[in-house]
Amino acid sequence: MNIKNIVVAASLLAAAGAAMAEAPYPPETPFHSTQTRADVKAELQRAQANHEIVSRNEYPVLRQAPSKLSRQEVESQMQQANNAAQNLYSGA
C-alpha cells in the first residue's frame, strides 16, 4: 500500500511540474522600439561625449601594486614555501 501511495504522489508531482513548465516566466511580451537605429547611435554618441557612459575601450585599467621586494627576495620566499610544503607532505 505504501508503494502505491508513493507512485501516485510521484506521478502527481511530475504532472504538476509538466503543467508549470508550459507557461513561460516571466510572461513574454513583444518589444517594439519607437526609435530608429540612427536615433540610438546619436543618443549613444551624445552620452559618451557627456561622459555619461564609457565605451568598451575606456574601462579603468587596474594597475598592479608596486612591490617593495626584489626578485631575489621573492624567489627566496618561494623556495622557503616550497621546502615547507615538501616537508609537510613528506611527513618530516
Side-chain angles (χ1 to χ4, degrees):
M1 190 71 169
N2 275 342
I3 293 177
K4 184 178 179 181
N5 289 342
I6 292 173
V7 170
V8 169
S11 63
L12 288 175
L13 285 173
M20 294 177 87
E22 292 176 12
Y25 184 82
E28 295 176 7
T29 56
F31 175 77
H32 299 288
S33 177
T34 58
Q35 293 182 320
T36 65
R37 182 179 178 91
D39 292 339
V40 172
K41 283 186 166 184
E43 186 177 347
L44 175 63
Q45 288 176 348
R46 181 199 54 78
Q48 287 175 340
N50 293 337
H51 301 289
E52 297 171 7
I53 189 171
V54 296
S55 69
R56 293 181 195 164
N57 298 328
E58 294 177 1
Y59 286 107
V61 177
L62 300 177
R63 299 186 190 272
Q64 185 175 359
S67 176
K68 295 180 173 34
L69 299 175
S70 69
R71 181 175 179 86
Q72 186 177 6
E73 290 170 328
V74 172
E75 288 176 349
S76 173
Q77 288 180 356
M78 281 294 297
Q79 186 62 41
Q80 290 173 1
N82 285 338
N83 290 341
Q86 286 176 357
N87 292 338
L88 180 66
Y89 289 115
S90 67

